[in-house]
Amino acid sequence: MKKIEGKVGLVTGGGSGNGKGIALRMAKDGAKAVIVNDVDGALAEEVAREIKETYQTEALPVQADVSSEVEVENMFEEILKRFGRLDILVHCAGIISVNKAVEESLEAWDRLFAVNVRGTFLCCRAAARQMMRQKSGKILIASSGAGLVGITYLSAYSASKAALIRFGEVLARELGPYGICVNVFSPGWSPWSKMGWETCQALAKHLGVDPEEIARLHTRGVPLGREATVEDTANLVSFLYSDEANYITGQMIVVGGGATSGRDLVPLSLLQKNEQS
């Protein structure tokens, strides 16, 4: 079904993971053009190529660091010069740091906030300015269950993702009069994805356990009994950027298989065992 036929969409962090899945879904849903942004230009080009070959949809790869105001402004200038409008922004770009709060370096903290928070602000600000001129648009921001419940060893990440939830709520209120919908979503987490497995490995190193134990404990705590897939997240995003969701704005929606609280990935029993050893 051509949900977004004729529309132009941008996916930041679209070179891999959920961002890639959403970019491909956008093409499948009938977008006129999909802009694939990633800090890794080669990954962006690869996804754009797949979109063109699979869906015969126009795709523009753009290498840009979302934490850079200059690079973000250049990206939007290129988009508007080529397409003249932007109908959808799905902001997925983000990084993670796994460490005890008391051992986190200032450099790691600042870099994570630069990408996750400043990057979100810069991309949403640029998209909103264009959408306000059009008096229409959809902005979707990827947060995390870590933004709902602080996760052990993810202090910087949890704090940054919580900031995005509040930012999205404010943006929805400010842009509503212009016919623009803004929603925040928490992508389904899989311990077997690239970022998920790297997180499991880092947590396991801190706790002195096998990373597969972290993965098993996570999946066991999900009411639906399985990890998330990229398609699970893309299904939600596809609905939110479609006309079917034109009266939904200012929301935070979790793709969590029932684990809607953003459950801590580190059970207290494991943490206590580690601290006592």
Side-chain angles (χ1 to χ4, degrees):
M1 185 171 65
K2 303 298 183 181
K3 288 185 177 182
I4 52 173
E5 189 170 7
K7 294 186 178 180
V8 176
L10 163 64
V11 182
T12 66
S16 62
N18 285 306
K20 176 181 177 179
I22 291 166
L24 291 168
R25 181 58 176 270
M26 198 175 280
K28 183 179 180 180
D29 283 342
K32 172 185 176 182
V34 179
I35 299 96
V36 183
N37 157 260
D38 205 276
V39 70
D40 186 327
L43 288 179
E45 289 179 6
E46 183 180 326
V47 175
R49 188 180 309 113
E50 185 174 347
I51 287 172
K52 292 174 184 176
E53 292 175 354
T54 305
Y55 299 104
Q56 290 73 55
T57 298
E58 188 171 1
L60 173 66
V62 181
Q63 187 281 324
D65 180 347
V66 297
S67 70
S68 166
E69 183 175 24
V70 171
E71 292 188 28
V72 168
E73 288 184 352
N74 287 342
M75 173 170 67
F76 276 83
E77 184 179 340
E78 183 177 359
I79 292 170
L80 296 179
K81 182 177 180 180
R82 180 148 172 185
F83 303 108
R85 63 183 298 108
L86 181 69
D87 301 291
I88 301 164
L89 166 65
V90 184
H91 184 72
C92 293
I95 59 175
I96 194 168
S97 176
V98 182
N99 210 348
K100 290 183 178 181
V102 295
E103 296 175 359
E104 188 71 276
S105 70
L106 180 60
E107 291 77 15
W109 180 279
D110 285 347
R111 178 56 186 161
L112 188 143
F113 266 74
V115 174
N116 291 7
V117 181
R118 185 169 73 208
T120 301
F121 163 69
L122 290 173
C123 290
C124 289
R125 183 181 68 174
R129 286 171 173 172
Q130 175 58 30
M131 291 175 180
M132 287 167 73
R133 288 190 285 268
Q134 298 168 187
K135 297 194 182 306
S136 66
K138 296 289 181 72
I139 295 176
L140 301 173
I141 301 168
S143 179
S144 168
L148 294 170
V149 173
I151 294 183
T152 311
Y153 299 134
L154 300 183
S155 60
Y157 184 75
S158 294
S160 72
K161 292 299 184 176
L164 301 190
I165 297 172
R166 298 287 83 83
F167 177 66
E169 289 177 353
V170 172
L171 208 57
R173 288 176 176 272
E174 293 182 355
L175 299 182
Y178 296 89
I180 301 165
C181 294
V182 182
N183 289 291
V184 181
F185 65 98
S186 170
W189 191 77
S190 169
W192 309 112
S193 67
K194 183 176 184 295
M195 180 180 281
W197 183 242
E198 289 173 353
T199 303
C200 285
Q201 288 177 309
L203 287 172
K205 186 176 180 181
H206 279 288
L207 294 164
V209 299
D210 190 306
E212 290 196 5
E213 183 174 357
I214 300 291
R216 284 194 298 270
L217 286 169
H218 165 75
T219 305
R220 195 180 305 156
V222 176
L224 287 183
R226 67 170 176 84
E227 69 277 5
T229 66
V230 169
E231 289 73 25
D232 289 325
T233 298
N235 286 339
L236 171 67
V237 172
S238 174
F239 167 68
L240 289 175
Y241 62 51
S242 74
D243 287 344
E244 295 169 339
N246 282 350
Y247 199 62
I248 299 174
T249 193
Q251 303 304 304
M252 163 59 168
I253 305 175
V254 180
V255 185
T260 55
S261 65
R263 184 178 53 85
D264 198 338
L265 301 178
V266 183
L268 186 59
S269 57
L270 262 186
L271 185 62
Q272 290 172 333
K273 180 182 176 182
N274 173 255
E275 295 300 330
Q276 292 167 1
S277 63

